[in-house]
Amino acid sequence: MGEVVRTSVEGAIGLIALDNPPVNAAGHDLRAGIVAALDRLADTPEVEVIALYGEGRSFIAGADIREFGKPPRDPWLPEVCNRIEGCGKPVISVLHGAALGGGLEVAIATHARVAIRGVQLGFPEVTLGVLPGAGGTQRGPRLAGVAAALDLITTSRRIGAEEALALGLVDRVTGGDPREVALAAARDVLDGRLATRRTKDIHIDPDPDSIERTRETLARTQAHLFSPHACVDAVELAAALPLEAGLARERALFQACIDSPQRAGLIHAFFAERAVAKIPEATAQPRPVTRIGVVGAGTMGAGIATACLLAGFPVVLAERSPEALARGEATVARNLDGAVTRGKMTAEARDAVRLATATDMAALGGCDLVIEAVFEEMAVKTAVLSEIARICPGAIIATNTSYLDLNVMAEALDAPANFVGLHFFSPAHVMRLVEVVVADGTAPEVVATGFALARRLGKVAVRSGVCDGFIGNRIMSAYRRAADIMALDGTPIEAIDAAVRGYGFAMGPFEMGDLAGLDIGWAARKRQAATRDPAARYHGALADRLCEAGWFGRKTGRGWYDHSGDTPVPNPDIPRFLKEIQEAEGLTPRLLRADEIVARYETAMIMEAARVVEEGIALRPIDVDAVFLFGYGFPRWKGGPMHQADVIGAGGLAARIERFASEDPGFWRVPGILRRMAREGGSFSDLNRER
Ligand code: T1G
């Protein structure tokens, strides 16, 4: 690896070029290199001004996240920033691509900043469970004021060059090549056309109202997180203390964040989003996709069509029934209007979308990728897939099925190599997860095309093997079952939902069931009835009674809850159903505490997830984490089910499962992978590195 920091002298200008691909992360070599370069140029008599800039695609994208949790190595980033600010000669910086976190902190420690249009600036630290720990909470308010600094630091909002100029974070906005801009700006410093000053010398207006307002907002919206509140404490100190003292307090608060388990979970989530792209088929060349067909204009088909339109693809939406097609078109229109309202799409782009609709599937001709999202029934799907293959020979054919066997479907196709699963999650134009399901005959370039398409759609693709429910739904059926058994045993559904919300999910399993529709689970239980394990307790008795009464949740006004009033209340018929079931099964009602509810719910999730990893349905444990972080609302600061499994430990989990097995031996069984880990040591994190 070449030098990550290089210096050069052009007349009276000393240049420091940062070259630490891929994003100039401020790892130890870069930090040490900057200090050495600064010392060298400070001691070079002819140098009168120093300019810092990034080679490659960005300035400094931040501290090297991979160093978190490891013993820090001198010089720490705060020390680098202090050396820059304290330099006897003017030091300026040129910001392009990304200047985030520690990168922005280095920039605001320089004596003037020039932003190149297109740069993104911000303090993303709270998304990683920490706070700007290299002076951002102390210098940020000095340049931009307390209110703006609080906004950027607690929301991790990224801003562009113009807004940064307006806020006072940068002094000039221009275009061009970073090195050329650095030379021009340095000349302007020498000619007095670009003023420089030390940030530490700037006075801060305390602005207690902004501090109070932010505390109130965070108490309402982020009570469960640690670092955003620490950010406010640090910014508040900036106005009360001289810089050196403020930096010392900031460092202490930063260390407290580093020590929080939330930091480990959030960092894990950051890497999970990137790790899942590392698949065996990554070296295959994706096929070009220029025109996408979607068959089926129901909720999923319309959502998938919307996602493709949002990404700029021309879409043909085919639906046999004119009425269903009209409903689908209206759904797409609503989705696009919502995207414009949320600022995800401009009105012009919305009006320029290329959507063709048809009741005749012949309209799919010319599509190079077609996704079916028709009724979840094997015969219906195989007929549609065959029809698509006839109309679009050579096209990639994808199924959006959420559990049917792709290898059975592939038998209906002459070219199974072109067949893949693209399992979207509702609402498909919002949820980021796509499970790319690989059948036995799927060609590597078709898998690679699925991943490339997901990236174009702004989604996170996770590779899955074929099994009932793939990765997410298979694991969900396990913890959903655990919740049903707890309800059957007498713990009120509202207590279970509350405990799961307390764990960090936005919704509990029964609230989620009413939202998604209880008929989906009912169909699955009937489908699995013939192969159900007689040794395991049947968990669906109560849900079946609701479905038999026609209560499918919100869409019928009643399910687990009665939705007829302003706020949902538990279905008043459940106690009667429960009594009948408990008497018939000779059950002794028992009430579980919130911690007992969470232990069963979380352990059932991890138990099935361990099997999914052991069977190779998921490539790695981190892939399971990504599925739950991006498709199931798993609390991001907990990192995912497999990260949590390492937090609890294999031995603790095996002990929990064996304890629960006394209640339901057919369901609670310690997976082999977990038993081996408990016996021999090791962790799911180790498996992430090995695979
Ligand atoms: N540290 C280490 N590796 C990083 C990294 C970082 N900060 N940022 C990116 N990478 C890796 C990433 O894992 C991937 O690796 C490759 O670079 C390309 O990334 C003290 C404590 C800059 C907008 O949070 O937002 O500073 O998978 O695929 O889409 O106060 O990366 O190829 O092996 O994302 O072009 C604050 C996080 C840190 C910025 C570029 N900074 N990064 O996006 O590429 S905390 C951040 C990003 C901090 C200080 C605090 C994006 C990007 P691989 P990529 P991209």
mmCIF file with all atom_site columns, all heavy atoms in Angstrom, residues 27 135 260 300 319 630 662:
data_model
loop_
_atom_site.group_PDB
_atom_site.id
_atom_site.type_symbol
_atom_site.label_atom_id
_atom_site.label_alt_id
_atom_site.label_comp_id
_atom_site.label_asym_id
_atom_site.label_entity_id
_atom_site.label_seq_id
_atom_site.pdbx_PDB_ins_code
_atom_site.Cartn_x
_atom_site.Cartn_y
_atom_site.Cartn_z
_atom_site.occupancy
_atom_site.B_iso_or_equiv
_atom_site.pdbx_formal_charge
_atom_site.auth_seq_id
_atom_site.auth_comp_id
_atom_site.auth_asym_id
_atom_site.auth_atom_id
_atom_site.pdbx_PDB_model_num
ATOM 1  N N   . GLY A 1 27  ? -8.039  6.259   9.390   1.00 0.00 ? 27  GLY A N   1
ATOM 2  C CA  . GLY A 1 27  ? -7.370  5.215   10.167  1.00 0.00 ? 27  GLY A CA  1
ATOM 3  C C   . GLY A 1 27  ? -6.039  5.713   10.700  1.00 0.00 ? 27  GLY A C   1
ATOM 4  O O   . GLY A 1 27  ? -5.613  6.840   10.412  1.00 0.00 ? 27  GLY A O   1
ATOM 5  N N   . GLY A 1 135 ? -14.037 16.916  18.202  1.00 0.00 ? 135 GLY A N   1
ATOM 6  C CA  . GLY A 1 135 ? -14.241 18.363  18.242  1.00 0.00 ? 135 GLY A CA  1
ATOM 7  C C   . GLY A 1 135 ? -15.477 18.852  17.547  1.00 0.00 ? 135 GLY A C   1
ATOM 8  O O   . GLY A 1 135 ? -15.809 20.036  17.589  1.00 0.00 ? 135 GLY A O   1
ATOM 9  N N   . SER A 1 260 ? -21.142 1.807   25.151  1.00 0.00 ? 260 SER A N   1
ATOM 10 C CA  . SER A 1 260 ? -22.547 1.376   25.148  1.00 0.00 ? 260 SER A CA  1
ATOM 11 C C   . SER A 1 260 ? -22.754 0.204   24.177  1.00 0.00 ? 260 SER A C   1
ATOM 12 O O   . SER A 1 260 ? -22.209 0.219   23.068  1.00 0.00 ? 260 SER A O   1
ATOM 13 C CB  . SER A 1 260 ? -23.435 2.546   24.695  1.00 0.00 ? 260 SER A CB  1
ATOM 14 O OG  . SER A 1 260 ? -24.634 2.054   24.135  1.00 0.00 ? 260 SER A OG  1
ATOM 15 N N   . MET A 1 300 ? -48.627 -5.999  -3.867  1.00 0.00 ? 300 MET A N   1
ATOM 16 C CA  . MET A 1 300 ? -47.198 -6.241  -4.113  1.00 0.00 ? 300 MET A CA  1
ATOM 17 C C   . MET A 1 300 ? -46.814 -5.842  -5.529  1.00 0.00 ? 300 MET A C   1
ATOM 18 O O   . MET A 1 300 ? -45.818 -5.163  -5.737  1.00 0.00 ? 300 MET A O   1
ATOM 19 C CB  . MET A 1 300 ? -46.856 -7.719  -3.874  1.00 0.00 ? 300 MET A CB  1
ATOM 20 C CG  . MET A 1 300 ? -46.826 -8.113  -2.413  1.00 0.00 ? 300 MET A CG  1
ATOM 21 S SD  . MET A 1 300 ? -45.846 -7.006  -1.384  1.00 0.00 ? 300 MET A SD  1
ATOM 22 C CE  . MET A 1 300 ? -44.203 -7.404  -1.964  1.00 0.00 ? 300 MET A CE  1
ATOM 23 N N   . GLU A 1 319 ? -52.098 -7.198  -15.932 1.00 0.00 ? 319 GLU A N   1
ATOM 24 C CA  . GLU A 1 319 ? -53.059 -7.790  -14.977 1.00 0.00 ? 319 GLU A CA  1
ATOM 25 C C   . GLU A 1 319 ? -54.254 -8.236  -15.797 1.00 0.00 ? 319 GLU A C   1
ATOM 26 O O   . GLU A 1 319 ? -54.808 -7.470  -16.566 1.00 0.00 ? 319 GLU A O   1
ATOM 27 C CB  . GLU A 1 319 ? -53.456 -6.735  -13.952 1.00 0.00 ? 319 GLU A CB  1
ATOM 28 C CG  . GLU A 1 319 ? -54.696 -7.065  -13.123 1.00 0.00 ? 319 GLU A CG  1
ATOM 29 C CD  . GLU A 1 319 ? -54.577 -8.341  -12.299 1.00 0.00 ? 319 GLU A CD  1
ATOM 30 O OE1 . GLU A 1 319 ? -53.688 -8.402  -11.416 1.00 0.00 ? 319 GLU A OE1 1
ATOM 31 O OE2 . GLU A 1 319 ? -55.351 -9.280  -12.568 1.00 0.00 ? 319 GLU A OE2 1
ATOM 32 N N   . PHE A 1 630 ? -33.526 -4.720  7.739   1.00 0.00 ? 630 PHE A N   1
ATOM 33 C CA  . PHE A 1 630 ? -34.068 -3.983  6.585   1.00 0.00 ? 630 PHE A CA  1
ATOM 34 C C   . PHE A 1 630 ? -35.419 -4.498  6.130   1.00 0.00 ? 630 PHE A C   1
ATOM 35 O O   . PHE A 1 630 ? -36.012 -3.945  5.205   1.00 0.00 ? 630 PHE A O   1
ATOM 36 C CB  . PHE A 1 630 ? -33.058 -4.021  5.430   1.00 0.00 ? 630 PHE A CB  1
ATOM 37 C CG  . PHE A 1 630 ? -31.766 -3.350  5.778   1.00 0.00 ? 630 PHE A CG  1
ATOM 38 C CD1 . PHE A 1 630 ? -30.626 -4.103  6.034   1.00 0.00 ? 630 PHE A CD1 1
ATOM 39 C CD2 . PHE A 1 630 ? -31.697 -1.967  5.917   1.00 0.00 ? 630 PHE A CD2 1
ATOM 40 C CE1 . PHE A 1 630 ? -29.445 -3.488  6.409   1.00 0.00 ? 630 PHE A CE1 1
ATOM 41 C CE2 . PHE A 1 630 ? -30.515 -1.343  6.290   1.00 0.00 ? 630 PHE A CE2 1
ATOM 42 C CZ  . PHE A 1 630 ? -29.382 -2.111  6.537   1.00 0.00 ? 630 PHE A CZ  1
ATOM 43 N N   . SER A 1 662 ? -39.117 -27.799 28.456  1.00 0.00 ? 662 SER A N   1
ATOM 44 C CA  . SER A 1 662 ? -39.986 -28.520 29.413  1.00 0.00 ? 662 SER A CA  1
ATOM 45 C C   . SER A 1 662 ? -41.454 -28.142 29.173  1.00 0.00 ? 662 SER A C   1
ATOM 46 O O   . SER A 1 662 ? -42.368 -28.908 29.451  1.00 0.00 ? 662 SER A O   1
ATOM 47 C CB  . SER A 1 662 ? -39.587 -28.143 30.846  1.00 0.00 ? 662 SER A CB  1
ATOM 48 O OG  . SER A 1 662 ? -39.753 -26.725 31.013  1.00 0.00 ? 662 SER A OG  1
#
